[in-house]
Amino acid sequence: MTSEDLEIEFQDAVERVNAYDKPFPADVLLNLYAYYKKATNNYSRPSSKKAIINAFKTNALFQVKNISEDEAKRLYIDLVNKYFLYGK
């Protein structure tokens, strides 16, 4: 798979998540958050008004610190595909 193919598949997965109108389980949301931030090279600080949520987000980001952007995209895609296949 080329990096261009990976990017297209990643963007499709992001669109699926954004179009979904039901709540995701917290663990899935945290993983999606961390993979997305890593995949898009976005290291802005979590911006929730609740400190506990920021702590969970920061921890999720810490757990993916050693993976590449492409690996984060693959993990995001895999998580989305798995969730929509089995999670609903």
Side-chain angles (χ1 to χ4, degrees), residues 16-62:
R16 288 176 72 191
V17 168
N18 290 337
Y20 191 62
D21 61 357
K22 294 180 179 66
F24 287 93
D27 61 326
V28 172
L29 269 180
L30 283 170
N31 282 318
L32 288 172
Y33 170 83
Y35 297 148
Y36 180 84
K37 290 289 223 175
K38 184 70 178 192
T40 59
N41 204 19
N42 178 345
Y43 298 106
S44 61
R45 304 184 100 201
S47 59
S48 174
K49 292 181 177 136
K50 297 184 178 179
I52 188 74
I53 293 174
N54 287 332
F56 279 114
K57 286 180 172 182
T58 299
N59 183 54
L61 286 170
F62 182 75

